[in-house]
Amino acid sequence: MRINKYYLAAFSAFFIWGFFSLALKPLHNYPSLDILFYRVFFSVVVMVLINVAFRRKVMQQNWNHFKNMTTKKRKNVVVLTLGGGLFLSSNWFVFIYVMNHVSVKAASLAYLICPILTTVFAFFMLKEKLSKWQWIAVTISVFSCILLSFNHFEDIFYSLITAATYALYLVSQRKNSELDKFLVLTIQLLFAAIILLPFYPNYSGAIPIEPLFYGCLLVIVVFFTIIPLFLNLYALNGINSSAVGIMIYINPIIGFLLAIFYYNEQATYLQLFSYFLILVSIAVFNEKLIFPRKSKGIPSKLEGLK
């Protein structure tokens, strides 16, 4: 039962992210870079306040643990944490741009490619092993994405960048297990804010004054940033990057359904068939979880007498 809570955390994170467009689309008139600026800055403020107000003991314990590490291990933690912040902020910018200036379906396509890249990166970089059924699931996923890319080759460029940045984030954070996950996330967002801060005066628009902007931003910061990112990092404590990566499919499936039924974007039978194949690939990849094997223990004498 212990591993199930990690699967539940991963599922919950991507289920929540699936509805991200509901908070992001109302801001489509604002530049993507402005949304990124305020999302990162506000997230940092909220997370720093949470750490200072409620998690001082955890911060002190992690600082003491960091100081007691070897020089090599400290360097590794710093590189993985700051590199993760760079991957995350890059992913956010491209995703916001694609969602608001290309299409919801294009953004969904990015997170259909992402699990494939995550699995491949994890296989080569982390040496994570995959079963025969999991490789079959990856093959089905690749075929589905090829079908979805027909007549949408321009979208593939943005989708690949979005997918690669988040896949690299997931794989790198699987190895970043020395410090508290919430604290790591805070440091990563703080690092992203430091990178973005010099660009803010010259590349930001006028300070928004509409209540809608700050209302949507609050929802984005709390419900579509802090909560799912923490659940995502928590899941990596108990399951490998490939398993978390395949859960990403939940996000674009919900996004695709919203694109069709809520935003009235057109969908072809080929796209519907492709998404059905993706659902099949999720079931195949997690077949051990969905269809657990019965233990092959030696039957007791009492069972033999029945």
Side-chain angles (χ1 to χ4, degrees), residues 39-261:
R39 183 187 185 187
V40 171
F41 296 157
F42 281 33
S43 296
V44 168
V45 171
V46 172
M47 296 191 72
V48 168
L49 287 175
I50 292 173
N51 278 290
V52 172
F54 305 107
R55 310 182 82 249
R56 291 184 185 180
K57 187 176 180 180
V58 174
M59 292 172 64
Q60 186 61 50
Q61 290 172 344
N62 277 261
W63 175 243
N64 292 336
H65 178 59
F66 180 76
K67 289 193 298 184
N68 291 329
M69 292 178 189
T70 62
T71 303
K72 183 178 180 181
K73 185 171 286 189
R74 280 202 302 267
K75 182 179 178 181
N76 190 52
V77 168
V78 170
V79 170
L80 288 174
T81 301
L82 299 187
L86 190 60
F87 289 137
L88 194 60
S89 56
S90 301
N91 173 262
W92 284 2
F93 174 70
V94 179
F95 177 78
I96 291 170
Y97 178 82
V98 172
M99 178 72 78
N100 280 352
H101 300 286
V102 182
S103 73
V104 176
K105 285 191 295 184
S108 296
L109 180 59
Y111 286 98
L112 293 175
I113 298 171
C114 187
I116 300 168
L117 291 181
T118 302
T119 301
V120 173
F121 289 162
F123 179 77
F124 287 106
M125 298 168 64
L126 301 181
K127 310 301 180 185
E128 290 184 359
K129 303 298 181 183
L130 297 177
S131 68
K132 176 184 69 176
W133 285 105
Q134 288 173 324
W135 277 118
I136 291 173
V138 171
T139 304
I140 295 172
S141 300
V142 172
F143 180 65
S144 304
C145 292
I146 291 172
L147 292 179
L148 284 168
S149 69
F150 287 163
N151 300 321
H152 295 89
F153 292 108
E154 186 178 352
D155 294 350
I156 288 293
F157 173 75
Y158 295 106
S159 299
L160 281 172
I161 296 175
T162 309
T165 50
Y166 197 70
L168 288 169
Y169 176 73
L170 280 180
V171 172
S172 65
Q173 298 318 291
R174 172 64 175 163
K175 298 180 68 175
N176 192 12
S177 58
E178 292 292 335
L179 301 179
D180 173 76
K181 292 297 186 183
F182 193 86
L183 184 58
V184 166
L185 183 56
T186 304
I187 295 170
Q188 288 174 340
L189 292 178
L190 182 60
F191 179 63
I194 292 171
I195 293 174
L196 292 172
L197 193 59
F199 297 96
Y200 178 76
N202 294 325
Y203 293 95
S204 65
I207 296 176
I209 58 173
E210 293 83 0
L212 173 67
F213 179 85
Y214 293 102
C216 289
L217 195 67
L218 178 62
V219 172
I220 288 172
V221 166
V222 176
F223 294 103
F224 295 108
T225 301
I226 296 174
I227 292 176
L229 275 177
F230 175 72
L231 289 171
N232 202 175
L233 290 177
Y234 176 78
L236 288 169
N237 283 327
I239 54 180
N240 61 33
S241 306
S242 301
V244 174
I246 207 72
M247 291 284 184
I248 294 175
Y249 282 133
I250 297 162
N251 178 345
I253 287 172
I254 295 173
F256 184 75
L257 293 174
L258 286 174
I260 296 171
F261 295 108

